[in-house]
Amino acid sequence: LALVMAGRMNLNGSAPTGKVTLTTADSAPADQALKAETILMENATYTRELDDDGTAGQWQRAGLDSAGTAIADYGAYAQLLLDLGPKAQKGSEEVDGAPAYRLSGKLTQDQLRTVDRRLYDRMRSAGLEEFACDAWVNESGRVVRFEQWMKVSGASAHNVVTLKNFSAPVPVSAPE
């Protein structure tokens, strides 16, 4: 099952803010299909489902601790990979036609404790000790691609994140 998140995010504040849509791949079974719109604020997340015809459901507010959409700090992940030393430094590659430096390695549950508390808690409850990930950092020091591989309860997951079109912060307000 593939889930695609697309939208505009402000990642440099005290908490990520922005507006995104979440959509399952066309190959998802009808009973698992999802299309939702999410607004992330510094203090809450608002989500509503969207029907195929564009009809929108009611906004549901969730506090940050219970928010279904969590945005990781990919810069912090890149720093964890750098901390692994020279073995994690794979060299320059192109990402979307621009040079980026690739970092690669395995991160442990303990390393995530202060970087990604949500994933740390999930790993603990699933008994997952480590996972592999790669981060590509552009010449400006921004992570432009992130990939993660995990195996939980015999099921494999591969997450791919692409960050691009960096520009001025986008204004975000709570829905009415």
Side-chain angles (χ1 to χ4, degrees):
L1 180 64
L3 186 64
V4 176
M5 182 187 322
R8 297 278 305 156
M9 299 293 303
N10 301 316
L11 299 174
N12 293 328
S14 60
T17 60
K19 186 174 182 180
V20 297
T21 57
L22 297 145
T23 310
T24 49
D26 292 338
S27 60
D31 65 334
Q32 295 179 14
L34 166 74
K35 186 168 187 179
E37 181 178 29
T38 299
I39 297 174
L40 291 103
M41 305 292 297
E42 288 188 2
N43 61 349
T45 299
Y46 299 87
T47 302
R48 66 179 176 181
E49 288 191 33
L50 302 172
D51 292 335
D52 290 335
D53 63 3
T55 306
Q58 294 289 328
W59 287 106
Q60 302 296 316
R61 183 185 189 279
L64 291 182
D65 290 341
S66 61
T69 305
I71 307 299
D73 180 350
Y74 298 108
Y77 273 95
Q79 185 60 56
L80 288 176
L81 290 168
L82 277 171
D83 291 346
L84 295 176
K87 66 182 178 183
Q89 299 172 19
K90 302 302 179 185
S92 187
E93 298 179 6
E94 277 198 19
V95 175
D96 289 333
Y101 198 85
R102 181 178 174 203
L103 303 168
S104 181
K106 289 188 177 184
L107 299 178
T108 65
Q109 174 189 121
D110 191 50
Q111 289 171 299
L112 293 182
R113 182 176 291 142
T114 59
V115 170
D116 191 341
R117 187 65 187 202
R118 181 179 293 265
L119 181 57
Y120 167 77
D121 289 340
R122 287 182 187 161
M123 288 176 69
R124 280 190 22 222
S125 66
L128 182 64
E129 291 296 321
E130 67 180 12
F131 66 91
C133 67
D134 290 3
W136 288 262
V137 181
N138 71 8
E139 292 175 333
S140 298
R142 292 184 168 125
V143 174
V144 293
R145 183 174 177 90
F146 180 82
E147 293 193 38
Q148 177 182 60
W149 297 266
M150 293 184 180
K151 194 166 196 163
V152 180
S153 303
S156 296
H158 179 201
N159 300 314
V160 179
V161 176
T162 304
L163 302 161
K164 58 186 177 180
N165 299 329
F166 298 97
S167 61
V170 294
V172 182
S173 57
E176 295 181 10

